[in-house]
Amino acid sequence: MKVKVISRSTDEFTRERSNDLQRVFRNFDPSLRTQEKAVEYVRALNAAKMEKIFARPFVGAMDGHIDSVSCMAKNPNHLKGIFSGSMDGDIRLWDIASRRTICQFPGHQGAVRGLTASTDGRILVSCGTDCTVRLWNVPLATGMESDDSSDNSAKQLAAYVWKNAFWAVDHQCDGNLFATAGAQVDIWDHNRFDLNLFRFFPSFLNYRNLTCHFLLENRSQPVNSFEWGKDTVISVRFNPGEPNVLATSASDRSIAIYDLRMSSPTTKLIMRTRTNSISWNPMEPMNFTAANEDCSCYSYDARKLDEAKCVHKDHVSAVMDIDYSPTGREFVTGSYDRTIRIFQYNGGHSREIYHTKRMQRYTLSTNNCVLTEICHQHRVFCVKFSCDGSYVISGSDDTNLRLWKANASEQLGVLLPRERKNHEYREAVKNRYKHLPEVKRIVRHRHLPKPIFKASALRRIMIDAERKKDERRRAHSAPGSIPRESIRKKRIIKEIE
């Protein structure tokens, strides 16, 4: 004899709170729900609209510098710490959670052009236009929760004095070496300087005698140097997967790849415009993306540099800095057009654009008469993803660091299980119907400042005019005399090995 029973889980019908409504059991048989697709479409439409309503990407600003913020660096050992350097030589360690200065690193006499932290997070390396590279002791993680004290200056461990100004620095992912960019690429080893001397005798740093200077100058010799051409190297980045490989960009519009195990550079790529910054993909270490002066970013495979893997377009001015998310699925760029954009690693157009009123130009008018024009041209010089990929930090020449959410409509704080399931359901429904015109229009729409909107329209007109000119020249020429050139190869002049 068969006995049929009803079995239900307690979680399915128990209310989470006393004031919740009783749950209603539904039959999800498609034959009983003929309007399911129509209902889901309306929900997808509402989810796309709600995402725009709750989009509040700007979290706050960190004020403290008195000059333009020129560079930033993340500490791989501290999740909520960020270093920043300014044009007046000031270096600060910030606590992102409280948005305040934890520690200062005084010592540079000129602009700080590069910052990087060691793998263990204990040493900060800085370089600048005063021809020095300085090593600093980073406060421990427990120090970041301590109260403000009268003396929050960090101790300097060493200083390397060199002949030329430095423009960038980067530390090896797993090792003791770091590279500086300037008149040439120099490789240094911070273990060659006896750091234990300063740990046991910190008062040694306070004396400016001849013995100290003799020690510093004696140790100021790079382990290795690379030079390919006579132009200034403006950026350098170590490969996250292969510690002995690094990529550089120079003012002669070149991108070069070096291998420390070889005595000469590996390969060199010359483009039509200069590359300002380079960032390797942490999840695909053979790929890197270059931020270029022609308003675009180019993703390359280091094994095949004769063609770009993807061209990322949307900026209307030079791209100044670039940084990948820890997931490797997207990267953030900061541009001279006063905007910040987030791109998918394989997407040609940005998914987000961030800006504030203080970063744009606007006018005050009354009765159709312009009273005055306020021009805030706060160019974005450096950008970084946070170590967990949840936030974006930008530095501009208005002396501020700005903190943004990587996902503009993300709800901060602790989410209840029901809220989390609701967000996941809305995201799933929106992705299911994202190809429909109305949902696509709402998801893709971004408000642009008036200068950016006009510059984008003008740039589209110029690109269309150039394309029409090429088509007409090709139509009135002999067949095959003017070959078609791919956009992925158009900006590349040649590759040198």
Side-chain angles (χ1 to χ4, degrees), residues 279-296:
S279 182
W280 294 90
N281 190 329
M283 294 292 106
E284 299 175 357
M286 75 290 293
N287 299 331
F288 67 89
T289 305
N292 207 270
E293 283 277 341
D294 65 351
C295 316
S296 301

Side-chain angles (χ1 to χ4, degrees), residues 252-268:
D252 62 349
R253 304 165 298 167
S254 66
I255 300 174
I257 296 179
Y258 299 86
D259 193 336
L260 301 183
R261 295 165 294 188
M262 302 175 63
S263 59
S264 61
T266 307
T267 182
K268 186 176 185 180

Side-chain angles (χ1 to χ4, degrees), residues 457-470:
L458 181 61
R459 183 169 174 79
R460 284 193 297 269
I461 293 173
M462 295 169 63
I463 293 175
D464 290 341
E466 185 179 357
R467 178 182 54 82
K468 290 179 182 178
K469 186 176 181 180
D470 290 342

Side-chain angles (χ1 to χ4, degrees), residues 299-439:
S299 293
Y300 290 99
D301 189 334
R303 302 164 296 184
K304 188 176 182 296
L305 292 176
D306 59 344
E307 182 180 2
K309 289 173 62 73
C310 186
V311 181
H312 313 274
K313 302 179 292 185
D314 268 347
H315 282 294
V316 296
S317 189
V319 186
M320 305 302 295
D321 197 14
I322 183 172
D323 187 51
Y324 261 96
S325 168
T327 61
R329 310 301 293 179
E330 57 188 16
F331 60 87
V332 60
T333 59
S335 174
Y336 201 72
D337 61 7
R338 307 178 293 276
T339 61
I340 301 155
R341 290 183 183 266
I342 299 177
F343 292 84
Q344 298 291 337
Y345 79 104
N346 57 356
H349 296 277
S350 61
R351 71 164 180 87
E352 283 291 351
I353 175 172
Y354 293 159
H355 57 87
T356 62
K357 287 184 178 180
R358 289 196 62 192
M359 298 167 65
Q360 301 300 325
R361 177 184 302 178
Y362 57 94
T363 58
L364 298 178
S365 61
T366 179
N367 297 330
N368 298 326
C369 297
V370 177
L371 295 180
T372 182
E373 182 176 5
I374 302 177
C375 181
H376 295 285
Q377 298 187 0
H378 296 161
R379 315 292 183 178
V380 181
F381 287 151
C382 48
V383 288
K384 290 291 180 185
F385 257 106
S386 62
C387 292
D388 60 351
S390 300
Y391 298 94
V392 170
I393 304 100
S394 66
S396 56
D397 61 356
D398 66 340
T399 73
N400 278 343
L401 277 77
R402 290 183 172 87
L403 185 64
W404 314 80
K405 291 188 287 186
N407 187 3
S409 58
E410 182 181 6
Q411 182 178 344
L412 300 179
V414 180
L415 295 179
L416 295 175
R418 286 172 52 185
E419 292 177 326
R420 186 179 297 106
K421 290 181 181 179
N422 186 24
H423 288 315
E424 293 174 355
Y425 174 75
R426 287 191 303 189
E427 191 68 23
V429 170
K430 187 182 64 176
N431 289 333
R432 183 177 182 181
Y433 294 93
K434 65 181 179 181
H435 63 282
L436 296 179
E438 191 64 21
V439 178

Side-chain angles (χ1 to χ4, degrees), residues 44-57 350-354 407-410 426 430 438-447:
L45 209 60
N46 292 335
K49 293 178 181 178
M50 291 178 67
E51 184 184 21
K52 297 300 175 187
I53 293 174
F54 293 108
R56 298 291 185 271
S350 61
R351 71 164 180 87
E352 283 291 351
I353 175 172
Y354 293 159
N407 187 3
S409 58
E410 182 181 6
R426 287 191 303 189
K430 187 182 64 176
E438 191 64 21
V439 178
K440 184 191 294 185
R441 183 188 66 82
I442 298 174
V443 170
R444 292 183 57 185
H445 175 74
R446 293 292 184 275
H447 172 73

